[in-house]
């Protein structure tokens, strides 16, 4: 049942992106600007959470440089901070997306700048990992079981998103761009938790380290 609901959440996310495209239009991709933004974000995050990210700076840069950020989709308005805390489920209406203010630590002007849908997807994937890590942290699940659940949740969500994109004839997800935004979100979370909830920083940091060192 959970998997079916997450497939529906993937459908809802694809519908959201389609609606935002219809309302606000598209802008061409800009790979050079994107790489500059990723690099600047990494520099900011390492400075904001030097205690945790300083030793990972070289690995972060190396990982980003290896990603093939070409043949990108057009840019568009997106949610900007899409995670499980930004969606509600109603038996009569299905999934409802709320809170379009964007990431709290980003400058306000940046939050409405056209971006790539892959940012929202990566944010939601990180949210599944956060939920699984919280189950482990609170003693509600063993790590291996929680990580397995997280992978299943992500698979179901992505299945729903891809199904809807295929039905609408819109672009499928760009794999390296999604991975780059996953990395971008993870370092943002380390910086955010360092500044606001230092007791939670291990949730973001553990997954990031595992990803970089795997």
């Amino acid at each position: 049942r959970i998997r079916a609901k997450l497939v529906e959440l993937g459908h809802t996310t694809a519908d959201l992106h389609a609606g935002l495209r219809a309302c606000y239009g598209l802008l061409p991709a800009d790979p050079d600007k994107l790489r500059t933004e990723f690099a600047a974000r990494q520099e900011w995050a390492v400075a904001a959470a030097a205690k945790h990210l300083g030793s990972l700076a070289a690995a972060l840069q190396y990982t980003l440089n290896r990603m093939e950020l070409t043949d990108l989709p057009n840019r568009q308005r997106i949610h900007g901070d899409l995670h499980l805390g930004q969606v509600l489920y109603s038996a009569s209406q299905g999934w409802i997306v709320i809170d379009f203010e964007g990431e709290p630590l980003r400058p306000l002007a940046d939050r409405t700048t056209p971006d790539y849908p892959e940012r929202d997807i990566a944010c939601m994937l990180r949210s599944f990992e956060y939920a699984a890590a919280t189950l482990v942290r609170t003693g509600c699940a063993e790590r291996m079981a929680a990580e397995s659940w997280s992978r299943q949740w992500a698979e179901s969500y992505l299945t729903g998103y891809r199904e809807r994109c295929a039905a609408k004839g819109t672009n499928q997800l760009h794999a390296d761009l999604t991975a780059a935004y996953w990395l971008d979100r993870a370092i943002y979370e380390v910086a955010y938790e360092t500044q606001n909830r230092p007791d939670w920083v291990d949730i973001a940091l553990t997954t990031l380290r595992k990803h970089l060192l795997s």
Side-chain angles (χ1 to χ4, degrees), residues 30-62:
D30 192 338
D32 292 337
K33 181 176 183 290
L34 181 66
R35 280 200 176 274
T36 298
E37 290 174 350
F38 278 140
R41 176 97 135 186
Q42 286 193 8
E43 183 178 355
W44 164 80
V46 169
K51 176 182 177 181
H52 303 295
L53 294 178
S55 62
L56 299 176
L60 287 167
Q61 184 175 6
Y62 173 76

Side-chain angles (χ1 to χ4, degrees), residues 79 81-88 96-99 124 127:
H79 183 279
D81 191 28
L82 189 64
H83 55 75
L84 290 171
Q86 310 285 41
V87 294
L88 303 172
I96 301 168
V97 182
I98 62 172
D99 195 353
M124 186 59 76
S127 187

Side-chain angles (χ1 to χ4, degrees), residues 184-213:
D184 182 76
R185 179 67 176 190
I187 62 173
Y188 169 86
E189 289 166 350
V190 173
Y192 180 88
E193 302 296 18
T194 297
Q195 295 180 6
N196 297 278
R197 299 184 299 192
D199 290 344
W200 285 54
V201 73
D202 62 293
I203 292 181
L205 192 58
T206 298
T207 307
L208 178 60
R209 282 176 174 160
K210 183 177 180 180
H211 177 81
L212 291 174
L213 300 177

Side-chain angles (χ1 to χ4, degrees), residues 3-21 76-79 82-84 86-90 92-98 100 117 120-121 124 128 156-165 167-168 170:
R3 292 189 189 184
K5 291 294 183 290
L6 290 173
V7 169
E8 292 176 16
L9 180 57
H11 292 164
T12 298
T13 305
D15 291 342
L16 169 67
H17 289 157
L20 290 171
R21 282 194 298 273
Q76 65 163 88
R77 284 288 294 272
I78 63 171
H79 183 279
L82 189 64
H83 55 75
L84 290 171
Q86 310 285 41
V87 294
L88 303 172
Y89 185 80
S90 163
S92 60
Q93 299 184 56
W95 289 103
I96 301 168
V97 182
I98 62 172
F100 285 76
D120 281 347
I121 300 301
M124 186 59 76
F128 297 147
S156 298
Y157 176 71
L158 290 173
T159 294
Y161 189 87
R162 289 166 177 152
E163 283 179 353
R164 191 67 109 222
C165 287
K168 291 177 176 291
T170 54

